[in-house]
Amino acid sequence: MEHLFEKIVAGDIPSLKIYEDELVYSFLDINPLAPGHTLVIPKKKYTKIHEVPDETAAAIGRVLPRIARAVMKATGCENYNILQNNGRPAHQEVPHVHFHIIPKPDATSGLKVGWPADKIADGEDIKNRIVSALEEA
C-alpha cells in the first residue's frame, strides 16, 4: 500500500518539487511553519532513520546542505532548523523518513522548540553500550 510520500514521489499527488535524483526527492511542505519550509525524503519508504541504507543516507546527506543553502538564499533567512523525527511518540506524523528544512525568519516564526534538558546520568555506561552497538552495526 502506498502512503502519502510514495504517492507524491510517483506523481499521483501533486507537489511543489524542489529537487529530485535517483534516491532523493524534495518538495515544499503544504503546511509550512515558515515560507520556504521544505521536505527532503528518500524516494523509497523507510519509516525510521536507522532503517535507511547507507547509500541512500549518503545521498540525502550530500543534497541536504545544498537544498538548505538554496532555501536560505530564496527566503533571505540566515537561520533555520533541520528536523527529523522517528516514530509517532517522537512527533513523526508521516511514517516515511523526512527531513524538514524550516527557515527561522525571526524569534516568533518557524519552529518553536522546548528543550527540557536534564543532567547526564550513567554517562560512561550508556557511552559504552552505544560504542559496542556501533561496532556491531
Side-chain angles (χ1 to χ4, degrees), residues 43-89:
K43 284 183 160 181
K44 184 175 177 190
K45 181 184 181 234
Y46 304 97
T47 303
K48 297 180 179 179
I49 193 74
H50 69 272
E51 299 167 351
V52 178
D54 290 347
E55 180 184 3
T56 302
I60 293 168
R62 278 190 299 274
V63 74
L64 190 60
R66 194 166 131 212
I67 297 170
R69 286 190 296 270
V71 170
M72 295 312 98
K73 184 175 183 178
T75 62
C77 286
E78 69 177 68
N79 302 305
Y80 59 97
N81 295 93
I82 302 287
L83 178 67
Q84 197 279 318
N85 302 320
N86 295 278
R88 182 153 308 269

Side-chain angles (χ1 to χ4, degrees), residues 86-99:
N86 295 278
R88 182 153 308 269
H91 308 287
Q92 183 183 24
E93 295 297 320
V94 177
H96 186 129
V97 168
H98 56 287
F99 292 81

